[in-house]
Amino acid sequence: MSLTETQSEHGFDGREYERFLQANNREFNALFGYPNNAIKTSKYTILNFLPLNLFEQFQRLANAYFLVLLILQLIPQISSLAWYTTVVPLVVVLSITGVKDAIDDLVKWLPGLPSL
């Protein structure tokens, strides 16, 4: 069902003109060059996903703590454990969270997909 609205307005030059639009009819409204009301709610693009996602994840205190711990474990004089004991859990947590964020953002782009 679509509503048709006719509206009389004054242009920049002071003359009246009519505007025709139909609610929920994008094809009809595109004929007159009206802008659409599309809203972008996704956070990432292909180019900025990895840096922006890592930036957001390292703002969490636990992830930042493990990153500092990893840097300290790379110094052999003060480390009692191997570096990979911190790298593996950190990479697993960052990967799982990154995949979840990517799926959530992809659902916003493709509305037919179910959300997590």
Side-chain angles (χ1 to χ4, degrees):
M1 179 176 185
S2 107
L3 297 172
T4 303
E5 178 182 322
T6 304
Q7 186 174 357
S8 178
E9 293 185 3
H10 295 283
F12 291 114
D13 54 2
R15 289 187 277 168
E16 268 192 35
Y17 67 93
E18 284 189 326
R19 181 171 65 170
F20 300 97
L21 66 112
Q22 292 182 356
N24 297 327
N25 191 348
R26 291 183 184 178
E27 292 83 20
F28 178 79
N29 294 333
L31 293 175
F32 299 100
Y34 299 143
N36 62 6
N37 289 333
I39 298 172
K40 179 186 171 204
T41 59
S42 61
K43 192 186 304 186
Y44 305 109
T45 64
I46 300 261
L47 298 176
N48 73 359
F49 174 76
L50 190 62
L52 190 58
N53 188 274
L54 288 176
F55 175 73
E56 288 181 1
Q57 288 193 43
F58 283 118
Q59 285 183 342
R60 297 183 183 123
L61 189 58
N63 293 343
Y65 170 76
F66 278 102
L67 181 64
V68 169
L69 191 64
L70 171 64
I71 292 169
L72 289 175
Q73 283 185 344
L74 292 175
I75 303 170
Q77 290 82 8
I78 63 172
S79 176
S80 61
L81 297 172
W83 59 271
Y84 54 83
T85 59
T86 304
V87 169
V88 172
L90 183 61
V91 167
V92 167
V93 168
L94 293 177
S95 300
I96 291 172
T97 307
V99 167
K100 182 194 75 72
D101 289 345
I103 291 172
D104 286 345
D105 205 54
L106 190 61
V107 166
K108 291 177 185 178
W109 276 90
L110 305 170
L113 295 176
S115 63
L116 293 178

